[in-house]
Amino acid sequence: MENQRHIVTSPIHRPCPDMAGCTNHNPELTKQSLKTVQRLRKKFGLKTTAERIERQREYLSELAMLMVGGVR
């Protein structure tokens, strides 16, 4: 919270001091957690936002081609 740009006046918007990740942050643990999330996404077929957006673009592009008489 040292690099906070504005003062939070309402206590409800402040992070709790005992929230996970707010104290004794470990970058290696964060990196391992991200790898685990990626592995689970792949295992269960969940796509990231970027992958969903790319697939939507591909779909809309194909749809536009079909609407103007293009061949798929």
Side-chain angles (χ1 to χ4, degrees):
M1 300 303 303
E2 294 81 26
N3 61 357
Q4 189 174 1
R5 291 195 174 124
H6 64 287
I7 297 171
V8 177
T9 55
S10 174
I12 196 158
H13 295 291
R14 292 183 184 159
C16 299
D18 60 347
M19 286 176 57
C22 288
T23 59
N24 299 326
H25 176 71
N26 183 346
E28 288 300 316
L29 184 59
T30 300
K31 190 184 297 183
Q32 185 61 37
S33 296
L34 290 172
K35 286 180 184 178
T36 301
V37 169
Q38 285 178 330
R39 183 179 51 80
L40 290 170
R41 281 186 173 281
K42 187 173 182 177
K43 178 179 179 180
F44 293 107
L46 302 174
K47 297 186 181 306
T48 63
T49 301
E51 290 171 329
R52 283 194 305 261
I53 290 171
E54 182 60 30
R55 180 62 194 125
Q56 286 174 345
R57 283 187 186 141
E58 291 171 6
Y59 172 76
L60 291 174
S61 176
E62 290 175 14
L63 185 61
M65 275 289 260
L66 293 172
M67 290 178 73
V68 294
V71 178
R72 190 172 193 199

